[in-house]
Amino acid sequence: MGHQFFFFLTLICIPGLCAVTLVPSQNPVAVGSNVTIRLSDPININVGSWVFRTGTLFIWVLQEIYPGSSHQAGIDLNITTYQLTLSSVTLNSSGVYVLEALSPSKTKAEITLDVQEPVSKVTADVSKTNLVEFNDTVMFTCNASGTSLRFSWQNGSAAVTAGGRVQLSNNGQNLIISGVTRYDEGPFKCIVVNDISMGESIQMNLTISYGPSNLRITASPDNMTFASGLPISLSCSVESKPTASLYWMYNGKPLNVFSSSYNLTDTTENGTGLYTCVAQNEITLRSAEVSKTIRIVDPISAVAVNPSGSPIEHMPFNLSCNVVGPVDSIQWMKNDMDLYADNTITFFNGNSTLSFKNLALSHDGLYQCVASNAVSNIRQAYNLMVNYGPINTTASGPNVAKVGSNVTFSCSSVSRPQSQYSWYFSDSKVADEPVYVTAALRQNNSGQYTCMAFNNITGISSNASVQLTVLAPVTNVMVNMEDQQPIFNQSFTLTCTASGDVEHIQWMKNGMFLSPENGITLSNDNSILTFQNLSLNDDGHYQCEASNAVSNSTSNAYDLMVNYGPWNQKVEGPLIAGIGSSVTFNCTAVSRPQSQYIWYHNSSKVGDGPVYVTTVLSLNDSGQYTCMAFNNITGSSSNASVQLTLKYPVSDVIVNAGSQHPIFNQSFTLTCTASGDVEHIQWMKNGMFLSPENGITLSNDNSTLTFQNLSLNDDGHYQCEASNAVSNSTSNAYDLMVNYGPWNQKVEGPLIAGIGSNVTFNCTAVSRPQSQYIWYHNSSKVGDGPVYVTSALSLNDSGQYTCMAFNNITGSSNASVQLTVIEPITSVVVTPDRLIPLASQSLQLKCDVIGHYNKIQWLRGNQNFQQSDGVTFSGDNTTVTFKYLKTADDGQYKCIATNSLKEHVSEPYGLVVIFGPQSVQIIVRPGIPTKLTCQALSQPPAEYHWIENNTVVGNQSTIEVPIKYILGSNYTCVAKNPLTNVTVYTSQVVNDPNAAVSVHASVLLTALIALLLPVLEQCL
């Protein structure tokens, strides 16, 4: 609604200082309305006038009124109040109205009246309503009648403003939205206002198709990895309008699941993979997909830690972690800390074996094997205690010495108790102390000096040695291969020889030191280098270096070139050729040295060299062409072959059905025959190639097409195509029409009829060819044809009427209808077995029926009443038994007896279970006075009595406690069921300090009012 503006003009009358204000009844004002212009305060004007624009409306002198030149019908003056009334104003009534007083005082006042036409005929149009998000632009146009119109738009409850995708033009009459989104659906309406009225167009809604977008797959339970055997539910959500069609894929392959959810049951590890939900919108022609990787793992069921033997210091020792179930990782822990490989321990077999190279005291501790996979984690502990002593026995001293010098050797060990020490040289004892000093050395004093540490408690001894050597320099180092050929995948030996005291030999390949690995082994003294199986990677320059503590020397290089092949032999040439042509075959092989080549045709030699060109071909030239490549060093040869075939064209292709009849749900065979060299046979249906599926199988050579069970979908034109590499031919079509039926046989006619009436039965069936019909009544033939009309019926005509439909190719089928004559039902009554239904006791309701009925059913409150844990029905449904009545059984119960004509419903039996009193309680409501309320659950409602100190003080559920008892008294509530006379008691001691405070506050307030009364009387 527009704003209303009232214009007032206040006049100052100089004589007497009077003020005059003109007040319109409304301004602006609608066309056709009435408006008055009055003075805000009464003044006396003996002579005055009203003027509109430049013309006079009225002049008055005392009480005489004189209409002016501008006066019109519908303009009136009240001479008493000087009020001007305008009736049924028009747009021409707008303008300035002036009141001028001439006597007794001169004054002048004016007001501008604005007459407007109300808003009407508001309409709005839209360019189109079915749009696609982001693609389309829509334009709304608004039109209306009236004056001083202002236009605006609303989307739902929100005002539409210009900006971005939204444009407003033509003073707001046009609204344009570019690139609409899903939030622009409306409803839109146009609002038109002026200063006196408002109008709205009808609401318009847009249908905006969008999506699919914001796809999301959620798994329940919400995991990335799942234990096998548990169900997994995948849900796909998508924002789309219209609703997107969804389907699922597994590892990029469609699953034939077209719903928003996909459930995996009895999951196994084979179900691991990428699950994809694909959404498609048929209107926006957009599609989107989202994927989620699901991993399914069997849980670990058991873990055991087994030792390899007894743990002895300096001895190797293994702990094995044996896991039952799939394992992702095995982690060892010592004393609850993660254990990692170092120079004393290693892990083998995927961390399942913890190996101690040499046990030490530091290895004492609690070891745990922790086996884990994505869905389980199991650990097992083993407590390791190392037996030791003596350990860390060491002998120190120089390794090289000159002749005539003295050498000092020292021996130490860790042991509990302290070890005893003995020194030996060349198996002879030379000292019994931890320190041994030799005499002056000679050449023959070179050798091993051994210290033995002995623990007389553990019975363990350990030795440590120092090798003392007098050395001569190394010379004449050579690499020898003897009489060998280096051949691929055979063994090969190189020997290093040298003069002098050789202590160490090292081998080098291409200037880099060589280690025994990848099929290369060394003798104990490193003098022999053996290749177990030569490979091409073994090509290179080989040297050996011999050394001792005072010198070293390196041999000249031996160049090793491994002979191999022939390998990767390949024959290139055509597989099929025509008679009279010639063929060129090419043979290649990889070999060192270069291979030699021989050609054979069907085992007969035909040529030499890598290229063989045949003579002009005949039918006898078909067969296998073989190239043999030979290496005279390796002694190896290899063959490669190509099969050359000559073909005659295929012709006379025919489809045969023999003497078979194509009958629905029976097998049927079509055979394809042809002349010529037939290599491939393909079948077609209605011009489309046919695959073995949906009960259709093909023989091994595709010549026979077998329908396991014919269906109507198998109707069609069948052809076979026979072909070879040089030709193909297609048979004429065989038209397959499947014979079927009779199917869907149906007999229509009444099930009930009265005596003396006639009944018409109609029989129909679907069949190819058309069925024939025969009618039977209780096994006796009564008619032919699809329609049978009975004679006038009697009771003996009740029974089964059967129609047999017969197809002379496929067989027959029957359909029947039962015709019955019945007697009416006259009475249905529900009867209980007891008058008072008590809670926790049994109750039987019986349905008594007079007349013939087919079935009985029960209703409770107009809903089907069915058997439950506490309610049973007799076999014929005539009796309902409540085992233990409860208040939930209250209700209106009816029984319905039904025969073939109609249902007969009994009058309702209202069951109200009698119980209680139960859950008796006393509620204290503090106040002045305090109130006690007794509540109990009971049917019918309980009667209440109050007892205070053995005196009855009330017979209602609520009583008031006198103030004198408010600080403490014992109240007993007695609740009694008036029907069963069951009585229950409960007591409450009333001791309410809040009530006492309230009494005190009330006394103080009364005293204060008494003191203020004299003051109040004076004021009044």
Side-chain angles (χ1 to χ4, degrees):
M1 188 68 182
H3 299 286
Q4 291 187 338
F5 300 95
F6 294 91
F7 298 94
F8 303 98
L9 184 60
T10 302
L11 305 179
I12 304 299
C13 304
I14 301 303
L17 299 178
C18 62
V20 177
T21 301
L22 297 181
V23 180
S25 59
Q26 53 182 321
N27 195 16
V29 61
V31 170
S33 300
N34 300 331
V35 64
T36 60
I37 304 174
R38 62 178 179 84
L39 281 69
S40 60
D41 296 310
I43 62 172
N44 182 35
I45 303 176
N46 293 333
V47 180
S49 65
W50 276 102
V51 177
F52 172 55
R53 297 178 182 169
T54 58
T56 301
L57 297 176
F58 295 102
I59 297 174
W60 66 91
V61 178
L62 297 179
Q63 295 299 311
E64 291 296 324
I65 300 175
Y66 304 96
S69 60
S70 295
H71 178 264
Q72 297 177 7
I75 302 178
D76 299 302
L77 172 65
N78 187 322
I79 194 59
T80 303
T81 62
Y82 315 118
Q83 174 178 292
L84 187 66
T85 299
L86 307 177
S87 300
S88 299
V89 296
T90 66
L91 293 176
N92 292 328
S93 301
S94 297
V96 179
Y97 290 81
V98 178
L99 171 65
E100 186 174 4
L102 301 175
S103 174
S105 301
K106 287 188 177 182
T107 186
K108 184 178 181 180
E110 65 180 37
I111 186 171
T112 300
L113 186 65
D114 185 12
V115 179
Q116 296 184 3
E117 183 178 352
V119 176
S120 65
K121 299 179 182 179
V122 180
T123 61
D125 298 311
V126 62
S127 58
K128 55 182 177 179
T129 57
N130 292 317
L131 308 162
V132 174
E133 187 179 45
F134 307 130
N135 291 357
D136 294 333
T137 296
V138 65
M139 177 175 177
F140 296 91
T141 302
C142 185
N143 292 291
S145 297
T147 57
S148 302
L149 300 180
R150 299 186 294 276
F151 295 85
S152 63
W153 294 86
Q154 278 192 345
N155 180 359
S157 59
V160 178
T161 58
R165 299 179 300 105
V166 179
Q167 301 177 34
L168 292 173
S169 63
N170 196 17
N171 194 31
Q173 283 187 258
N174 296 331
L175 166 62
I176 300 173
I177 303 176
S178 302
V180 295
T181 71
R182 65 194 68 181
Y183 308 107
D184 296 328
E185 289 191 328
F188 289 87
K189 64 180 178 181
C190 170
I191 301 174
V192 184
V193 300
N194 60 16
D195 295 332
I196 62 170
S197 62
M198 179 185 75
E200 295 180 354
S201 69
I202 61 172
Q203 293 184 341
M204 294 174 292
N205 288 283
L206 302 180
T207 300
I208 299 177
S209 299
Y210 57 85
S213 60
N214 298 327
L215 271 74
R216 183 169 178 260
I217 293 180
T218 58
S220 177
D222 187 12
N223 298 322
M224 290 297 291
T225 305
F226 303 83
S228 62
L230 298 179
I232 304 171
S233 178
L234 301 180
S235 296
C236 183
S237 61
V238 60
E239 294 180 9
S240 178
K241 181 177 181 181
T243 301
S245 60
L246 303 176
Y247 68 91
W248 291 84
M249 296 195 298
Y250 170 64
N251 289 337
K253 295 182 179 180
L255 284 173
N256 200 27
V257 176
F258 303 92
S259 64
S260 61
S261 63
Y262 179 57
N263 296 318
L264 289 83
T265 59
D266 298 326
T267 54
T268 66
E269 290 184 337
N270 292 334
T272 296
L274 186 70
Y275 290 81
T276 302
C277 172
V278 181
Q280 296 177 325
N281 187 316
E282 63 180 7
I283 300 300
T284 67
L285 304 179
R286 297 169 186 154
S287 64
E289 65 181 43
V290 62
S291 298
K292 187 177 186 71
T293 299
I294 299 297
R295 183 184 176 209
I296 302 173
V297 180
D298 291 336
I300 296 172
S301 59
V303 175
V305 177
N306 298 316
S308 61
S310 299
I312 299 174
E313 189 179 22
H314 293 312
M315 297 291 291
F317 181 69
N318 292 338
L319 290 177
S320 297
C321 183
N322 298 319
V323 182
V324 179
V327 61
D328 290 342
S329 66
I330 294 177
Q331 177 67 43
W332 289 87
M333 303 180 72
K334 176 183 178 183
N335 299 329
D336 294 326
M337 299 292 289
D338 288 339
L339 196 61
Y340 301 95
D342 56 22
N343 60 346
T344 64
I345 62 172
T346 57
F347 300 95
F348 298 103
N349 301 326
N351 270 23
S352 65
T353 301
L354 169 60
S355 178
F356 301 83
K357 296 178 182 178
N358 293 289
L359 279 173
L361 292 180
S362 60
H363 293 138
D364 285 354
L366 183 66
Y367 289 79
Q368 290 180 297
C369 167
V370 182
S372 304
N373 64 22
V375 297
S376 58
N377 181 302
I378 300 180
R379 63 182 63 201
Q380 183 65 42
Y382 176 84
N383 193 19
L384 176 62
M385 297 292 292
V386 178
N387 301 300
Y388 67 96
I391 59 174
N392 298 333
T393 301
T394 60
S396 61
N399 299 112
V400 180
K402 296 178 181 180
V403 174
S405 64
N406 301 99
V407 173
T408 300
F409 297 105
S410 297
C411 187
S412 63
S413 66
V414 178
S415 177
R416 185 186 293 133
Q418 183 65 42
S419 294
Q420 302 174 7
Y421 300 94
S422 299
W423 285 92
Y424 296 86
F425 173 66
S426 298
D427 298 326
S428 297
K429 186 176 180 180
V430 294
D432 286 313
E433 298 295 335
V435 178
Y436 168 56
V437 180
T438 70
L441 294 172
R442 295 177 297 176
Q443 185 74 30
N444 60 359
N445 292 131
S446 294
Q448 189 178 60
Y449 290 80
T450 301
C451 168
M452 182 182 73
F454 177 71
N455 187 322
N456 59 3
I457 300 299
T458 64
I460 298 175
S461 65
S462 67
N463 297 333
S465 300
V466 177
Q467 188 73 27
L468 183 63
T469 306
V470 177
L471 300 172
V474 177
T475 60
N476 301 322
V477 181
M478 298 177 64
V479 174
N480 300 309
M481 61 169 284
E482 299 180 353
D483 187 18
Q484 303 175 82
Q485 283 286 354
I487 297 175
F488 180 84
N489 216 29
Q490 295 185 16
S491 63
F492 186 71
T493 301
L494 296 177
T495 302
C496 183
T497 61
S499 300
D501 295 327
V502 177
E503 290 183 338
H504 304 290
I505 293 177
Q506 283 185 299
W507 288 85
M508 293 180 287
K509 176 184 177 183
N510 299 328
M512 302 295 293
F513 285 111
L514 197 63
S515 299
E517 60 183 2
N518 299 328
I520 296 176
T521 60
L522 298 172
S523 61
N524 290 338
D525 61 356
N526 277 19
S527 64
I528 299 175
L529 173 65
T530 301
F531 299 87
Q532 302 296 328
N533 293 287
L534 279 172
S535 71
L536 299 184
N537 292 328
D538 295 324
D539 286 355
H541 304 294
Y542 287 83
Q543 297 171 280
C544 70
E545 178 188 76
S547 65
N548 60 23
V550 295
S551 66
N552 66 77
S553 179
T554 301
S555 72
N556 293 327
Y558 169 78
D559 294 331
L560 175 60
M561 296 286 287
V562 178
N563 298 295
Y564 60 88
W567 295 341
N568 302 329
Q569 188 178 358
K570 183 170 63 174
V571 173
E572 295 179 344
L575 303 179
I576 302 172
I579 296 172
S581 65
S582 63
V583 173
T584 299
F585 295 107
N586 290 279
C587 187
T588 58
V590 179
S591 176
R592 180 189 288 162
Q594 184 67 41
S595 292
Q596 301 172 14
Y597 301 93
I598 303 174
W599 289 90
Y600 296 88
H601 173 226
N602 294 336
S603 302
S604 298
K605 181 177 177 180
V606 294
D608 295 288
V611 178
Y612 171 62
V613 181
T614 68
T615 59
V616 175
L617 294 171
S618 66
L619 282 175
N620 295 330
D621 293 320
S622 293
Q624 188 177 61
Y625 287 80
T626 302
C627 169
M628 183 181 75
F630 178 73
N631 185 322
N632 57 5
I633 299 297
T634 65
S636 297
S637 65
S638 66
N639 296 331
S641 301
V642 64
Q643 190 74 25
L644 182 63
T645 305
L646 299 177
K647 299 291 183 181
Y648 283 108
V650 176
S651 62
D652 301 326
V653 182
I654 301 173
V655 175
N656 296 311
S659 60
Q660 305 171 86
H661 280 294
I663 298 176
F664 180 84
N665 217 29
Q666 295 185 16
S667 64
F668 185 71
T669 301
L670 295 177
T671 303
C672 183
T673 60
S675 301
D677 295 329
V678 177
E679 292 181 341
H680 305 287
I681 293 177
Q682 282 185 298
W683 288 87
M684 292 179 287
K685 176 185 177 182
N686 299 328
M688 301 294 291
F689 284 110
L690 198 61
S691 300
E693 60 183 2
N694 298 328
I696 296 177
T697 61
L698 297 173
S699 60
N700 290 337
D701 61 356
N702 275 20
S703 64
T704 302
L705 172 66
T706 301
F707 300 86
Q708 302 296 329
N709 294 287
L710 278 173
S711 72
L712 298 186
N713 291 329
D714 295 324
D715 284 355
H717 305 295
Y718 287 82
Q719 295 171 280
C720 70
E721 178 188 76
S723 63
N724 59 23
V726 297
S727 65
N728 66 77
S729 180
T730 303
S731 71
N732 293 328
Y734 171 81
D735 293 332
L736 175 60
M737 295 288 288
V738 179
N739 298 295
Y740 59 88
W743 291 345
N744 302 330
Q745 187 176 359
K746 182 169 62 175
V747 174
E748 295 180 343
L751 303 179
I752 303 170
I755 296 172
S757 63
N758 301 98
V759 171
T760 300
F761 295 108
N762 289 280
C763 186
T764 58
V766 178
S767 176
R768 180 190 288 161
Q770 185 67 40
S771 293
Q772 302 171 19
Y773 301 94
I774 303 174
W775 289 90
Y776 297 87
H777 173 226
N778 294 338
S779 302
S780 297
K781 182 178 178 181
V782 293
D784 295 289
V787 179
Y788 171 62
V789 181
T790 68
S791 58
L793 295 172
S794 66
L795 288 176
N796 293 330
D797 293 319
S798 293
Q800 189 176 58
Y801 287 80
T802 301
C803 169
M804 182 180 75
F806 179 73
N807 182 322
N808 57 7
I809 292 180
T810 64
S812 63
S813 68
N814 295 333
S816 299
V817 65
Q818 190 75 23
L819 183 64
T820 307
V821 176
I822 62 171
E823 296 179 1
I825 297 173
T826 59
S827 174
V828 181
V829 178
V830 177
T831 305
D833 66 341
R834 61 176 66 210
L835 294 177
I836 299 177
L838 296 178
S840 300
Q841 294 186 8
S842 66
L843 176 69
Q844 283 189 346
L845 300 180
K846 184 178 180 183
C847 185
D848 293 322
V849 182
I850 299 176
H852 173 76
Y853 62 89
N854 297 329
K855 70 172 182 177
I856 290 178
Q857 65 183 107
W858 290 83
L859 299 179
R860 177 185 178 187
N862 295 324
Q863 299 292 323
N864 283 335
F865 185 46
Q866 298 178 348
Q867 185 167 301
S868 63
D869 291 339
V871 179
T872 60
F873 287 74
S874 61
D876 58 359
N877 264 23
T878 58
T879 303
V880 176
T881 301
F882 297 85
K883 297 178 182 179
Y884 303 99
L885 281 173
K886 51 187 180 295
T887 57
D889 295 324
D890 287 356
Q892 298 290 319
Y893 292 83
K894 302 176 187 178
C895 72
I896 303 174
T898 306
N899 61 19
S900 299
L901 287 175
K902 62 178 294 188
E903 293 181 345
H904 297 265
V905 183
S906 70
E907 291 296 323
Y909 169 75
L911 174 58
V912 179
V913 178
I914 306 303
F915 67 93
Q918 301 172 359
S919 305
V920 181
Q921 61 175 336
I922 295 175
I923 299 173
V924 180
R925 292 183 173 86
I928 302 175
T930 296
K931 292 183 179 181
L932 303 180
T933 299
C934 187
Q935 293 181 348
L937 300 177
S938 177
Q939 179 63 41
E943 297 176 347
Y944 299 97
H945 302 285
W946 287 91
I947 300 174
E948 189 266 326
N949 296 329
N950 297 321
T951 301
V952 176
V953 296
N955 293 317
Q956 301 294 329
S957 61
T958 300
I959 64 171
E960 294 181 353
V961 179
I963 292 178
K964 64 179 180 178
Y965 297 133
I966 205 163
L967 298 180
S969 185
N970 185 29
Y971 284 82
T972 299
C973 169
V974 181
K976 174 184 175 183
N977 188 312
L979 190 58
T980 64
N981 291 324
V982 174
T983 304
V984 180
Y985 303 84
T986 187
S987 298
Q988 174 77 40
V989 174
V990 178
N991 187 6
D992 190 355
N994 292 330
V997 172
S998 298
V999 171
H1000 182 64
S1002 178
V1003 172
L1004 291 177
L1005 181 60
T1006 303
L1008 181 60
I1009 292 173
L1011 292 173
L1012 291 176
L1013 277 177
V1015 178
L1016 293 173
E1017 288 176 353
Q1018 291 179 5
C1019 292
L1020 295 174

